[in-house]
Amino acid sequence: MSGLINYVSCGALWLGLLVRAPDLLRHRRDPYLRAICAVLGLAGLCFFLGAPPTVGAVNRIGDVPNLAAPVTYVAITGYCAASQLLVVHWRGGPRVRRTARRWLLAYAVVVLGITVTFALGEAPVERRTDLDTYYATTPFIAQMIVLYLVAHLTAVTVTTVSALRWARRVRGGLRAGLTLLGTGSLCGAGYSVAKLVAVGARWSGRDWSKLGTTVSPAAAGLGALLTVVGVLVPLAAPRITEWRRARRTYARLEPLERALDDLLTRRTLRLPRPRLASPTTRLMWRQTSVHNALSHLDPYFDRELYDRTRAGVLAATGEAERAEAAAWAAVITAAVREEADAGRRVPPRDGGDGQMLDRVPDPTALVRIADALAGAAPVPAAGAVPSGTTTAGTA
């Protein structure tokens, strides 16, 4: 009776609410955000109120045996109403407000029914875990139990169908999130079904209370976990995609950084490597190191070599981006070797320093240059380039 499942589920749901809270604060009038935050908050409250220690505390504070039952059932009904509002805003359409008001009115009637039936019934013996089956044959209390279970089953069924149906129409993180949310709602339906079966068995004289005390909490806990993940996946998916893209780009830039490694080390141009950093931060670090090296090499860049190589590769392949990458690879390779020759001085070209920074490659171009240096985008054979031209990988 520790209520561990309840408290863990409550914590997971409220953690999801905490993650979504900043969005809600920025977009207070967004009905979708309000509904999804209400779903997370009320679902967590249901688990919190349903934990046996909390049940005992509510009964003791209210000084009414089993007062926690209608309080928890009202919270569950509020969760059901929020779920239906979420589905309504998902579907959209011209009658959103009217449909939302109808669902709110319907669940307000359920709340009233729970309150009235509990007041009319008698439940003098405190039951913290098996009230549903223990009082399944008690007048008015039985009606209260069935009322909240049917209301909950209706809400999670509609949510399951709507989420899974919408998931088939979208792609990416939203589809994964909706699938998880629909599956979580389906597990929530298992909570209601298990309790209804246990209550029905009690009506026929059988004792299947284990369904309500073991199967139902497990189904509800799994549903809560899947619901939270389903809510968070659409938020995390864009960032995960960005990190994957940054990781691939970081790896592709490695040949270019390797070609500049000696220069970066000798001239202390490389910033300290970030530790425990995100892929995006590591990519920025590598790009910064490359740009530092290119800025240092600018006086050594041979514009004529660039133009000759680019023209030759463009004539041979007809691909402008490939030609530009090959030309940059050629001048970078030549400039690195020239700069490393300590006995040579940098000759002033075209009347002053600075040869190529006016056309410094952007991040996308850096990746193509790295591919050219790695041989992933090979340039034509030397014979295809005008005489005197240097291609990537040669000096």
Side-chain angles (χ1 to χ4, degrees):
M1 298 221 306
S2 66
L4 179 62
I5 292 179
N6 290 70
Y7 291 133
V8 170
S9 301
C10 173
L13 287 161
W14 283 352
L15 177 62
L17 175 62
L18 184 63
V19 172
R20 294 306 305 247
D23 290 335
L24 181 62
L25 292 176
R26 288 192 296 267
H27 308 284
R28 294 182 180 85
R29 297 187 178 182
D30 187 333
Y32 170 76
L33 277 176
R34 290 204 301 265
I36 203 167
C37 288
V39 167
L40 293 173
L42 289 171
L45 181 61
C46 294
F47 279 105
F48 178 77
L49 292 174
T54 307
V55 170
V58 172
N59 294 338
R60 184 172 61 255
I61 294 172
D63 197 25
V64 176
N66 298 306
L67 175 64
V71 172
T72 303
Y73 298 163
V74 167
I76 291 175
T77 304
Y79 160 77
C80 296
S83 298
Q84 297 293 34
L85 292 181
L86 179 61
V87 171
V88 168
H89 290 298
W90 271 352
R91 291 175 175 173
R95 299 182 178 179
V96 169
R97 293 185 178 180
R98 179 183 300 178
T99 305
R101 283 196 297 268
R102 287 178 178 176
W103 278 116
L104 287 175
L105 179 61
Y107 280 100
V109 171
V110 173
V111 169
L112 179 61
I114 291 172
T115 304
V116 171
T117 51
F118 180 76
L120 294 176
E122 294 185 3
V125 180
E126 183 184 65
R127 308 300 298 186
R128 298 190 180 185
T129 59
D130 63 346
L131 183 141
D132 300 303
T133 51
Y134 188 87
Y135 288 107
T137 58
T138 302
F140 296 109
I141 302 298
Q143 284 75 16
M144 177 188 71
I145 294 168
V146 173
L147 182 61
Y148 100 86
L149 287 175
V150 171
H152 180 264
L153 182 60
T154 300
V156 293
T157 300
V158 173
T159 303
T160 299
V161 173
S162 299
L164 296 180
R165 182 179 296 171
W166 189 17
R168 292 184 296 179
R169 303 176 184 174
V170 295
R171 292 292 182 270
L174 181 57
R175 182 174 189 174
L178 287 169
T179 301
L180 289 168
L181 184 60
T183 306
S185 298
L186 184 61
C187 291
Y191 166 87
S192 299
V193 170
K195 282 189 173 290
L196 283 170
V197 171
V199 169
R202 183 75 173 82
W203 291 344
S204 62
R206 298 180 179 86
D207 182 12
W208 290 1
S209 59
K210 288 293 183 181
L211 285 175
T213 58
T214 58
V215 176
S216 287
L222 179 59
L225 178 62
L226 292 174
T227 298
V228 171
V229 176
V231 169
L232 297 182
V233 161
L235 291 176
R239 181 168 298 180
I240 293 174
T241 301
E242 179 184 355
W243 283 358
R244 290 176 59 186
R245 187 182 299 113
R247 189 178 294 111
R248 288 195 300 266
T249 304
Y250 177 86
R252 289 179 65 184
L253 283 175
E254 195 273 337
L256 178 55
E257 187 190 14
R258 187 171 61 245
L260 300 169
D261 183 69
D262 178 67
L263 170 65
L264 289 168
T265 303
R266 284 188 297 103
R267 301 298 184 182
T268 319
L269 299 174
R270 184 187 280 115
L271 297 175
R273 183 184 295 271
R275 296 182 178 181
L276 302 177
S278 68
T280 305
T281 301
R282 291 199 299 270
L283 172 61
M284 187 178 301
W285 169 81
R286 177 162 280 179
Q287 289 174 335
T288 301
S289 298
V290 169
H291 279 296
N292 288 345
L294 295 183
S295 297
H296 180 80
L297 288 175
D298 186 49
Y300 299 89
F301 287 149
D302 188 338
R303 186 183 295 271
E304 292 183 1
L305 174 60
Y306 176 90
D307 292 336
R308 290 198 309 271
T309 306
R310 184 180 185 281
V313 177
L314 182 60
T317 65
E319 300 177 14
E321 292 182 349
R322 184 179 179 185
E324 182 179 0
W328 269 109
V331 297
I332 289 173
T333 301
V336 167
R337 294 185 180 181
E338 185 176 354
E339 193 275 342
D341 187 350
R344 295 188 59 181
R345 298 181 60 185
V346 180
R349 294 174 181 149
D350 298 332
D353 293 338
Q355 304 300 315
M356 300 285 287
L357 283 185
D358 60 324
R359 60 178 80 178
V360 64
D362 58 30
T364 304
L366 289 178
V367 173
R368 292 195 293 267
I369 295 169
D371 290 342
L373 288 168
V379 298
V385 182
S387 177
T389 300
T390 304
T391 59
T394 65

